[in-house]
Amino acid sequence: MSTYFKNISEGINTTVTGLKLTLRHLWSARNRRKPGDIRSGNFYDQQDGMVTIQYPLETIPIPDNGRYRLHNEMDDCIVCDKCVKVCPVDCIEIEPIRAIEEVGRASDGSPIRLYAAKFDIDMAKCCYCGLCTTVCPTECLTMTKTFDYSELDVRDMVYNYANLTPDEADEKRRLLDQFQKEKEALKAAAKPAVPQTEAPAAPAAKPVFKPTIKPKAPVAEAKEENVVESKAKTEKPAPKAPFRPVMKPKPVAEENIEKPISENPAEPVEVKPAAAKPPFRPSMKPKVVSEEPVEKPVEDAAPEITAAPIAPKPAFRPTMKPKVVSEEGIEKPIESPSPEPTQEIKEESPAPKPKPAFRPSMKPKPKE
């Protein structure tokens, strides 16, 4: 039973608390909050009062930089068609007509040479990206702060900004066609008349340029002389042999060159170089100078010089010299006799020189 009456008391208390809150707001509704801008300093000071506004008679203030419905100022539009190309949802449609003369100038000085027979913006498709306002060269297309433009029919969401009526657009097209026909007639009259019997000769086609390395054609007067030169130029030179290094021969003195005597003095004398001397080969044997003249061999090969062997010196043999005691008691070393030469060096006559080995020479045989 205690739980039953406890639940009844809790229900009555919560109902009274809710009614107190409702009565307090009802008492505060005698006053209304004034519409204020969020940028104002006292926007959060109004804590009490009714916040509901009588829309659409009353609206909340919108900032000037709000990006909502598109608007086009046709007096500044040059119908450049850039907004149509950049629109990602294709909500802009333009039909331009070229004017036969300059229509006017925009506020920035740009010339206007096109009419806009159709300039429609479907705000039901617009995604409010703002790209069309960015690429506009004259800044005639802008986004306004009109945020509420609800309609009962979706077709009423298409806004027309054309500066020509349908009849005026047809008249401008007719004037443009007439202007183009007159222009073509003036061009045709400026050209010289060609007789109909003779068909105009087609211009000869230029030959295709082909770069060549051939020399220019010789002049008619010196044709025979230049033909030979041109052939020599066009002929390909024989390929050069690969470079092979060779041992350069040693220069031969002019004294060693044998000059053959020719019978006819008018004929040129061929000078033949002498055979090259063999390379120097050192030997460990000393040279022996002899008074007898040495006969030179017929060939230019350098003979090897041999000398008589020299007798070797006797080997050193140390001896212990005995000590001699004199009368005074002083020990004196015994002087040993001078050693006699064991072997006398005799000068021998030089041995006969051996015959040098045969070495071929490059000397040509003398002509008989």
Side-chain angles (χ1 to χ4, degrees):
M1 291 295 291
S2 60
T3 306
Y4 176 74
F5 289 107
K6 185 178 180 180
N7 292 338
I8 293 174
S9 62
E10 287 179 358
I12 294 172
N13 291 334
T14 54
T15 304
V16 173
T17 303
L19 290 174
K20 285 181 181 180
L21 180 62
T22 303
L23 292 174
R24 186 177 65 186
H25 281 286
L26 183 60
W27 182 260
S28 298
R30 296 177 304 160
N31 301 324
R32 291 187 60 188
R33 291 185 184 182
K34 295 180 180 179
D37 192 355
I38 192 173
R39 293 173 294 182
S40 62
N42 58 351
F43 181 77
Y44 294 100
D45 294 342
Q46 301 181 17
Q47 298 295 332
D48 298 329
M50 187 172 57
V51 297
T52 306
I53 58 175
Q54 300 295 323
Y55 186 82
L57 302 178
E58 296 177 357
T59 57
I60 299 173
I62 306 299
D64 295 334
N65 59 351
R67 297 190 301 116
Y68 300 105
R69 191 172 68 177
L70 286 169
H71 174 73
N72 185 32
E73 192 67 33
M74 286 305 299
D75 294 339
D76 289 341
C77 184
I78 59 174
V79 198
C80 62
D81 204 27
K82 288 184 179 180
C83 53
V84 177
K85 296 175 182 176
V86 78
C87 183
V89 293
D90 297 333
C91 68
I92 304 175
E93 294 182 7
I94 297 177
E95 183 183 348
I97 300 175
R98 191 158 62 99
I100 59 176
E101 58 185 3
E102 186 176 316
V103 178
R105 288 186 176 272
S107 58
D108 63 344
S110 303
I112 301 174
R113 298 186 178 90
L114 296 171
Y115 294 105
K118 182 179 180 181
F119 198 118
D120 297 345
I121 301 176
D122 191 353
M123 291 307 301
K125 298 180 180 178
C126 183
C127 63
Y128 305 95
C129 61
L131 293 176
C132 55
T133 61
T134 305
V135 300
C136 185
T138 59
E139 298 181 1
C140 63
L141 192 62
T142 57
M143 300 188 80
T144 63
K145 59 181 181 180
T146 304
F147 68 94
D148 186 7
Y149 38 90
S150 58
E151 301 288 348
L152 296 176
D153 191 356
V154 71
R155 289 174 292 183
D156 295 336
M157 298 289 290
V158 179
Y159 295 91
N160 303 316
Y161 295 99
N163 55 5
L164 293 178
T165 61
D167 296 338
E168 291 176 348
D170 295 338
E171 181 67 20
K172 298 297 181 184
R173 292 191 189 96
R174 186 182 61 79
L175 291 175
L176 180 61
D177 293 341
Q178 184 179 355
F179 175 75
Q180 290 177 347
K181 290 179 181 178
E182 291 177 357
K183 192 175 181 179
E184 291 176 359
L186 290 173
K187 287 183 179 179
K191 293 182 180 179
V194 180
Q196 297 180 358
T197 55
E198 297 179 1
K206 292 184 179 180
V208 180
F209 174 72
K210 296 180 180 180
T212 57
I213 315 176
K214 295 180 180 179
K216 295 181 180 179
V219 186
E221 297 178 357
K223 186 174 181 180
E224 296 180 358
E225 297 178 0
N226 295 338
V227 164
V228 179
E229 295 179 1
S230 62
K231 287 182 179 180
K233 291 179 181 179
T234 53
E235 289 179 358
K236 295 181 179 179
K240 294 183 179 180
F243 174 73
R244 294 179 181 176
V246 296
M247 298 296 293
K248 295 183 179 179
K250 296 181 180 180
V252 183
E254 295 181 359
E255 298 175 357
N256 299 334
I257 298 174
E258 297 180 0
K259 299 181 180 180
I261 301 170
S262 61
E263 299 177 356
N264 189 2
E267 295 180 359
V269 179
E270 295 181 359
V271 179
K272 299 180 180 179
K277 291 183 179 181
F280 173 72
R281 295 179 181 177
S283 62
M284 300 301 294
K285 297 177 181 179
K287 296 181 181 180
V288 178
V289 181
S290 61
E291 295 178 357
E292 297 178 2
V294 180
E295 294 180 0
K296 295 182 179 180
V298 178
E299 299 179 359
D300 291 344
E304 296 180 358
I305 300 170
T306 57
I310 301 172
K313 293 182 180 181
F316 175 72
R317 294 179 182 177
T319 57
M320 296 298 293
K321 296 180 181 181
K323 297 180 181 180
V324 179
V325 180
S326 62
E327 296 176 357
E328 298 176 355
I330 299 172
E331 296 180 359
K332 294 181 180 180
I334 300 171
E335 294 180 358
S336 61
S338 60
E340 295 180 357
T342 57
Q343 188 178 358
E344 295 181 358
I345 299 171
K346 297 181 180 180
E347 293 182 359
E348 297 180 359
S349 59
K353 298 179 180 179
K355 196 174 183 180
F358 173 73
R359 294 181 182 178
S361 62
M362 300 301 294
K363 289 183 178 181
K365 295 180 179 181
K367 295 181 181 179
E368 295 179 358

